[in-house]
Amino acid sequence: MAYRETEKMRIRKAEARQRIVSCAYQCVAKSGFHSARVTTIAAMAGVATGTIYRHFESKEDLFAEIFRLATQREVDKVAEALSTQGDATVRLEAALRQFAERALRGPVMAWSLIAEPVDPKVEEERLAYRQAYAELFEKAISEGIEEGCIPDQDARQSSTCLVGAIAESLVGPLSPAQTNSRAEPRNDNYEPLVNSILRFCMQGLTGTRR
Amino acid sequence: MAYRETEKMRIRKAEARQRIVSCAYQCVAKSGFHSARVTTIAAMAGVATGTIYRHFESKEDLFAEIFRLATQREVDKVAEALSTQGDATVRLEAALRQFAERALRGPVMAWSLIAEPVDPKVEEERLAYRQAYAELFEKAISEGIEEGCIPDQDARQSSTCLVGAIAESLVGPLSPAQTNSRAEPRNDNYEPLVNSILRFCMQGLTGTRR
DNA sequence: TCAAATAGTGAATCATTATTCATTTCTTGT
DNA sequence: ACAAGAAATGAATAATGATTCACTATTTGA
């Protein structure tokens, strides 16, 4: 004699939640966390503003989830590249290339993940994200040191330098100002830029001229 | 038969302006542009809120000036280090050390200058700032290439990697979260960190193991 | 001391957004 | 078809902070 949550409703709610997440993701990918508005996301997802708050405690919570999601994708790709065949330098180079190319293809999101200032809860996710990268690269560098293809060094510190060198190389030329004033289809040739960055990174790592 | 701006007044106004600039600078150095409030700055400077607007068109304009000021200091120091004796690698290393050490001593301001998102007018200043660095380092690298102590490469791109590697190395460990939870007197020993970063950078540049 | 002109003031205004909550609409089992 | 819940709504609220502007105070030269 009353309403009882049924499978159908569970699914419908899950779909709404998914739609909200997806639209929030798009908003962030388009112009960063700072300019993503709750009302805009709601409109995009075809729900009322208040509905967002039935699925998430707050904007921060929603954004933390978006961040986690975006992050996971990137980290997975890098981990994948790192787990292929070859010695550590080869695998590291492949991973760095993956990292750089993906960031170049989605510069706004890349910037948001790397450098945009965010609320505490989101910043917490970022810490985990940096950690994840640092650990992945650090592990590969350490393996390289053991293998002997990379000279002894502070693996964690070098890992940080790698991320920094790449990030700066992307954040600069692909900052909003640069990105906006560009033709629609993003089919630039990234090869030279990426190669140039990678040479610097690999030399920094190995101390050997490429 | 009327008020006419006199030397005395000119000086007094200049002093007030100077006080505003100085307090704004302190606020930004303490917690970044984003959390620097016009009202706080006014209170600190001992003037009314409205007075700020007799000296500056807007908050953006004030901040642009602060940015320019802070930037000039840094660029000058680096330029100074680059203009000493020695071959290009020696001079570059000295300049990078200067850059890193100064940033480590003022991590919040360094972060604001390098990575904090800011309003358009301030962002414009940042462009000039990046440009100034890029040009300084690029020039030194090009000289090194001519001298023969640095192998041929895209000098501008390498310059970007240098800035990125250093910046990331600092932004991470010295982000607000890290910085806040530290004992008062900032007399840490930066040597190992800086040396580690510099090795990576110089190797990236020269492709030669240090 | 006076009048003209400028400088300084800070409470009020305006703009922007996240969040709430009273109300409406939908679901469910009988 | 009904009543009990649950979900959805979105206009109203609240909080924040830059900016304004009507007013007061100060300075100046006569």
Side-chain angles (χ1 to χ4, degrees):
Chain A
M1 42 72 201
Y3 177 94
R4 210 38 69 81
E5 184 179 75
T6 183
E7 188 60 15
K8 179 182 151 205
M9 278 313 275
R10 225 186 327 277
I11 289 172
R12 187 192 292 183
K13 277 202 284 177
E15 280 171 353
R17 189 183 202 279
Q18 178 50 44
R19 219 161 48 244
I20 291 168
V21 166
S22 162
C23 293
Y25 189 99
Q26 286 173 55
C27 285
V28 173
K30 191 175 201 182
S31 19
F33 287 100
H34 182 68
S35 38
R37 310 263 166 262
V38 174
T39 49
T40 308
I41 294 167
M44 251 176 105
V47 299
T49 321
T51 304
I52 301 263
Y53 290 87
R54 312 198 114 262
H55 294 277
F56 299 91
E57 279 279 312
S58 67
K59 191 181 116 157
E60 262 193 283
D61 281 277
L62 168 58
F63 282 5
E65 175 147 340
I66 301 306
F67 196 102
R68 214 176 306 131
L69 214 88
T71 277
Q72 198 54 55
R73 285 192 196 175
E74 300 306 312
V75 169
D76 285 351
K77 288 287 175 186
V78 165
E80 191 186 312
L82 275 177
S83 66
T84 56
Q85 280 293 307
D87 75 8
T89 59
V90 172
R91 289 180 289 125
L92 267 164
E93 186 159 351
L96 293 173
R97 189 177 292 278
Q98 188 74 241
F99 180 91
E101 283 177 350
R102 289 185 59 84
L104 278 161
R105 268 187 256 287
V108 177
M109 181 57 90
W111 179 75
S112 289
L113 297 184
I114 293 168
E116 184 178 4
V118 291
D119 291 319
K121 275 188 185 165
V122 181
E123 185 63 36
E124 240 176 87
E125 297 297 326
R126 171 133 66 204
L127 213 64
Y129 162 70
R130 280 187 194 284
Q131 206 85 352
Y133 269 122
E135 274 162 27
L136 280 177
F137 287 136
E138 184 185 352
K139 180 156 165 287
I141 295 172
S142 295
E143 285 168 11
I145 294 172
E146 277 188 38
E147 286 176 26
C149 60
I150 296 176
D152 190 39
Q153 61 196 281
D154 180 335
R156 174 62 69 115
Q157 181 53 49
S158 295
S159 153
T160 306
C161 286
L162 291 176
V163 172
I166 296 178
E168 176 77 9
S169 296
L170 310 178
V171 166
L174 297 180
S175 71
Q178 306 288 312
T179 307
N180 288 339
S181 64
R182 185 163 335 153
E184 295 284 335
R186 194 76 57 71
N187 58 352
D188 301 35
N189 185 10
Y190 301 138
E191 274 295 300
L193 173 59
V194 173
N195 286 336
S196 184
I197 300 170
L198 287 195
R199 182 164 73 170
F200 184 94
C201 286
M202 295 313 292
Q203 286 184 182
L205 229 37
T206 65
T208 308
R209 177 110 177 98
R210 304 264 148 165
Chain B
M1 40 73 208
Y3 177 94
R4 206 43 66 83
E5 183 179 75
T6 184
E7 189 59 16
K8 176 180 153 208
M9 277 312 273
R10 224 187 327 276
I11 289 173
R12 185 192 294 184
K13 276 202 285 176
E15 280 171 353
R17 190 182 201 280
Q18 178 49 44
R19 216 160 52 243
I20 291 168
V21 165
S22 162
C23 293
Y25 189 99
Q26 286 173 55
C27 284
V28 173
K30 190 174 203 185
S31 21
F33 287 100
H34 182 68
S35 40
R37 309 265 166 260
V38 174
T39 48
T40 307
I41 294 167
M44 253 177 102
V47 299
T49 320
T51 304
I52 301 261
Y53 289 86
R54 311 198 119 265
H55 293 276
F56 299 91
E57 278 279 311
S58 67
K59 190 181 118 157
E60 263 193 282
D61 281 277
L62 168 57
F63 282 5
E65 176 147 340
I66 301 305
F67 196 101
R68 214 175 306 129
L69 214 89
T71 277
Q72 198 54 56
R73 286 193 196 173
E74 300 307 312
V75 169
D76 284 351
K77 288 287 174 186
V78 166
E80 190 187 313
L82 275 176
S83 67
T84 55
Q85 280 294 306
D87 77 8
T89 58
V90 172
R91 288 181 289 127
L92 268 164
E93 187 159 351
L96 292 174
R97 188 178 293 278
Q98 187 74 241
F99 179 89
E101 283 177 351
R102 288 186 60 84
L104 278 162
R105 268 187 255 287
V108 177
M109 181 56 92
W111 179 76
S112 289
L113 297 184
I114 293 168
E116 183 178 5
V118 292
D119 291 320
K121 275 188 184 164
V122 181
E123 184 62 35
E124 240 176 87
E125 297 297 326
R126 170 130 69 202
L127 212 64
Y129 162 71
R130 281 188 192 284
Q131 206 85 352
Y133 269 122
E135 274 163 25
L136 281 177
F137 288 135
E138 185 185 350
K139 180 157 167 286
I141 295 172
S142 295
E143 285 167 13
I145 294 173
E146 277 189 39
E147 286 176 27
C149 60
I150 297 177
D152 190 40
Q153 62 195 279
D154 180 336
R156 176 60 70 111
Q157 182 53 49
S158 296
S159 152
T160 306
C161 286
L162 291 176
V163 172
I166 295 178
E168 177 76 9
S169 296
L170 311 179
V171 167
L174 296 180
S175 71
Q178 307 288 311
T179 307
N180 288 339
S181 64
R182 182 158 344 147
E184 296 283 337
R186 195 77 57 69
N187 58 350
D188 302 34
N189 184 10
Y190 301 137
E191 275 295 299
L193 173 60
V194 173
N195 286 337
S196 183
I197 299 170
L198 287 195
R199 183 164 71 167
F200 184 95
C201 286
M202 295 313 291
Q203 285 185 184
L205 228 38
T206 65
T208 309
R209 176 113 176 99
R210 304 267 146 159

